[in-house]
């Protein structure tokens, strides 16, 4: 009714429309809606308004209509500097963006940042629509990253790479969003501390990853950090070893769901799992390295454990694993008499485990006793923690101040009893 009222705002146009057939009116309205949708989806315009007028063409017949769009274009150039806190890290960054670079709806964006753990990073990407419906985009990008991992691995990591991908659909659409792409990355593990373990020293040096990947994401939540309904699902697959470098197959799954149990009481559920299957021989240049393995533990996934402190270790170094799972449940409620405050109270329980295994060469993949025992150990010997705390919503960042205790842990796990602060975008 709103669109109809706007389009029929004059008596002359109203008389004209009533002179048309209902079928033609619907066709005009649908075409107007579709064109307006494409203009908005292009991200080139701040506002888009449409109106219908009797055609002003000299050769126009009775019933001919002109569809007129009034738009306000977004600035072509954009520059932003900011300080950000997320995923237990703080950084300062600068972002620049150029819209409609070559006149075909392309966007160029570059970002540079300096942080506490990610010391330096750079990312530049050029994206463009590939279809006239604007639901498929192509993107090419280059990136560089210097990360300080000495808090859990006694080494630093340097990445330099390029990526090309095709993105189809939308995260909130019924079919979700698909990304298909190729990535080539040069990785270097160095900056070893004097106390670095033999395992870290063995993996130190330069390696190459050449891989194909696919990611599917669907998110129906009504809020990205504290949804009251909906489900977010993500599946990611990666096949490395195309031509050169490390060779492996890696798969990950992530699920988050929320539901209101009672007015003011929210149930939040989350689960993650992943597996890394080496395709090259152990000890060769195609074997996965520390850069490829999973890490688990910390305030954003398994609370009341130190960041990346679960799973296999060599001395003080966390080596990561080839198989992991994690699950969590939480009850979230308002503070008494303050339902509109961005501060909420919650109680939580988290569980998960990270394992390492070897795919035996003398047995079929997935049937070796080492693999079977690792899966059984991961499922039957989880690390578990529970507690209570406060949540502060500072969109898009979520801040948690928790008090809890590990209920079950391995001797090598880095436990954290008492108070723990967590800052991030996604929590389990």
């Amino acid at each position: 009714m709103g669109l109809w009222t706007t389009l029929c705002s004059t008596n002359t146009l109203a008389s004209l429309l009533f002179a048309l057939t209902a079928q033609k009116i619907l066709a005009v309205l649908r075409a107007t809606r579709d064109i307006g949708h494409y203009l908005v989806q292009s991200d080139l315009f701040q506002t888009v308004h449409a109106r219908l007028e009797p055609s002003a063409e000299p050769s126009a017949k009775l019933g001919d209509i002109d569809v007129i769009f009034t738009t306000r274009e977004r600035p072509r150039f954009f520059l932003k500097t900011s300080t950000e806190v997320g995923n237990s890290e703080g950084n300062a960054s600068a972002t620049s963006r150029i819209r409609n670079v070559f006149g075909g709806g392309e966007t160029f964006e570059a970002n540079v940042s300096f942080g506490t753990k990610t010391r330096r990073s750079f990312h530049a990407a050029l994206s463009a629509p590939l279809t006239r419906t604007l639901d498929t985009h192509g993107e090419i990008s280059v990136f560089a990253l210097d990360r300080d991992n000495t808090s859990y691995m006694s080494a630093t990591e340097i990445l330099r790479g390029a990526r090309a991908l095709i993105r189809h659909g939308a995260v909130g659409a019924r079919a979700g969003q698909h990304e298909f792409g190729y990535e080539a990355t040069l990785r270097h593990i160095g900056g070893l501390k004097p106390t670095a373990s033999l395992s870290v020293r063995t993996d130190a040096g330069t390696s190459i990853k050449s891989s194909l990947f696919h990611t599917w994401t669907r998110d129906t939540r009504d809020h990205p950090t504290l949804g009251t309904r909906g489900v977010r699902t993500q599946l990611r697959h990666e096949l490395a070893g195309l031509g050169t470098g490390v060779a492996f197959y890696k798969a990950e799954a992530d699920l988050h769901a929320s539901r209101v149990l009672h007015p003011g009481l929210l149930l939040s559920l989350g689960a993650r799992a992943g597996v890394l299957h080496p395709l090259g021989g152990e000890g060769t240049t195609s074997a996965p390295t520390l850069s490829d393995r999973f890490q688990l533990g910390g305030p954003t996934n398994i609370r009341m454990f130190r960041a990346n402190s679960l799973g296999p270790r060599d001395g003080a170094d966390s080596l990561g694993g080839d198989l992991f799972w994690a699950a969590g449940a939480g009850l979230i409620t308002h503070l008494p008499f303050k339902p509109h405050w961005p501060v909420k109270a919650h109680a939580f329980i988290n569980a998960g485990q990270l394992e390492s295994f070897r795919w035996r060469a003398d047995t079929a993949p997935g049937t070796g006793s080492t693999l079977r025992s690792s899966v059984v150990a991961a499922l039957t010997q989880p690390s578990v923690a529970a507690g209570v705390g406060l949540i502060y919503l500072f969109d898009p960042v979520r801040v948690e101040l928790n008090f809890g205790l590990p209920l079950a842990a391995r001797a090598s796990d880095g436990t954290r009893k008492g108070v723990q602060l967590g800052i991030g975008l996604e929590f389990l």
Side-chain angles (χ1 to χ4, degrees):
M1 289 299 294
L3 176 61
W4 177 264
T5 302
T6 301
L7 296 179
C8 300
S9 57
T10 66
N11 292 332
T12 302
L13 182 57
S15 301
L16 177 62
L17 289 176
F18 282 116
L20 302 176
T21 64
Q23 184 177 4
K24 188 171 183 179
I25 294 174
L26 291 176
V28 171
L29 293 177
R30 289 195 184 101
T32 303
R33 178 198 61 191
D34 292 343
I35 295 172
H37 170 73
Y38 294 145
L39 291 175
V40 172
Q41 193 175 358
S42 70
D43 196 39
L44 298 177
F45 304 97
Q46 288 182 337
T47 60
V48 177
H49 298 289
R51 69 178 188 271
L52 303 183
E53 293 183 354
S55 178
E57 293 292 328
S59 59
K61 300 178 181 179
L62 179 65
D64 289 349
I65 295 175
D66 287 338
V67 181
I68 301 175
F69 287 90
T70 304
T71 64
R72 182 181 178 186
E73 193 172 359
R74 293 182 183 273
R76 189 181 183 194
F77 301 97
F78 171 84
L79 178 64
K80 181 184 74 172
T81 59
S82 64
T83 56
E84 302 169 351
V85 178
N87 297 324
S88 301
E89 179 178 6
N91 63 66
S93 65
T95 301
S96 63
R97 184 183 302 122
I98 305 176
R99 291 186 175 91
N100 208 23
V101 180
F102 304 114
E106 306 87 358
T107 300
F108 175 78
E109 183 170 323
N111 173 272
V112 60
S113 68
F114 302 88
T116 55
K117 294 182 180 178
T118 303
R119 294 175 176 174
R120 293 175 295 272
S121 70
F122 171 78
H123 181 264
L126 176 66
S127 63
L130 300 181
T131 60
R132 62 183 181 181
T133 57
L134 303 182
D135 58 354
T136 303
H137 284 71
E139 179 179 297
I140 55 175
S141 62
V142 295
F143 58 90
L145 185 72
D146 295 357
R147 183 183 294 125
D148 184 0
N149 296 332
T150 55
S151 61
Y152 66 92
M153 202 177 67
S154 299
T156 60
E157 185 179 21
I158 299 174
L159 305 179
R160 302 287 186 269
R163 182 185 295 118
L165 63 87
I166 295 176
R167 183 182 298 111
H168 175 76
V171 171
R174 186 173 184 178
Q177 183 183 82
H178 291 270
E179 286 187 357
F180 302 88
Y182 169 79
E183 179 179 311
T185 310
L186 181 68
R187 299 97 56 87
H188 180 78
I189 296 177
L192 302 182
K193 297 172 66 175
T195 57
S197 64
L198 180 60
S199 299
V200 172
R201 295 180 183 276
T202 300
D203 271 2
T206 301
S207 62
I208 298 174
K209 184 179 76 169
S210 173
S211 68
L212 292 174
F213 64 86
H214 166 246
T215 303
W216 175 75
T217 308
R218 183 170 184 264
D219 192 349
T220 61
R221 297 174 300 174
D222 58 345
H223 194 279
T225 56
L226 194 64
T228 59
R229 64 179 184 274
V231 177
R232 179 186 185 273
T233 308
Q234 184 176 79
L235 302 174
R236 178 177 172 84
H237 308 267
E238 184 178 16
L239 179 64
L242 304 180
T244 185
V246 296
F248 61 81
Y249 170 72
K250 191 175 186 179
E252 297 178 69
D254 193 346
L255 177 68
H256 289 266
S258 301
R259 183 174 183 179
V260 175
L261 300 180
H262 186 271
L265 183 62
L266 171 69
L267 174 65
S268 176
L269 302 173
R272 297 172 186 169
V275 62
L276 173 68
H277 180 186
L279 300 179
E282 185 177 355
T284 66
T285 56
S286 61
T289 70
L290 292 169
S291 300
D292 305 307
R293 300 186 190 116
F294 299 110
Q295 294 284 353
L296 188 65
T300 61
N301 47 76
I302 309 298
R303 300 172 178 87
M304 313 321 301
F305 289 87
R306 294 197 302 272
N308 302 327
S309 66
L310 271 64
R313 302 180 69 87
D314 187 351
D317 295 326
S318 295
L319 304 181
D322 309 304
L323 171 73
F324 87 95
W325 71 273
L331 290 173
I332 304 172
T333 187
H334 307 304
L335 294 181
F337 311 111
K338 301 294 182 181
H340 302 297
W341 275 24
V343 180
K344 311 295 180 183
H346 77 134
F348 63 86
I349 182 169
N350 298 137
Q353 196 52 264
L354 177 67
E355 288 286 344
S356 179
F357 53 75
R358 297 178 180 176
W359 297 81
R360 294 170 49 136
D362 57 341
T363 58
T367 61
S369 59
T370 303
L371 170 60
R372 184 161 52 245
S373 62
S374 297
V375 173
V376 171
L379 296 176
T380 60
Q381 303 173 20
S383 297
V384 185
V388 296
L390 296 174
I391 300 173
Y392 178 66
L393 299 180
F394 189 69
D395 286 338
V397 175
R398 171 170 162 173
V399 182
E400 290 189 1
L401 181 63
N402 297 318
F403 178 84
L405 293 171
L407 304 180
R410 297 182 177 181
S412 59
D413 290 344
T415 59
R416 179 69 180 268
K417 300 178 181 179
V419 178
Q420 186 180 48
L421 177 67
I423 304 173
L425 303 177
E426 288 287 348
F427 282 75
L428 187 63

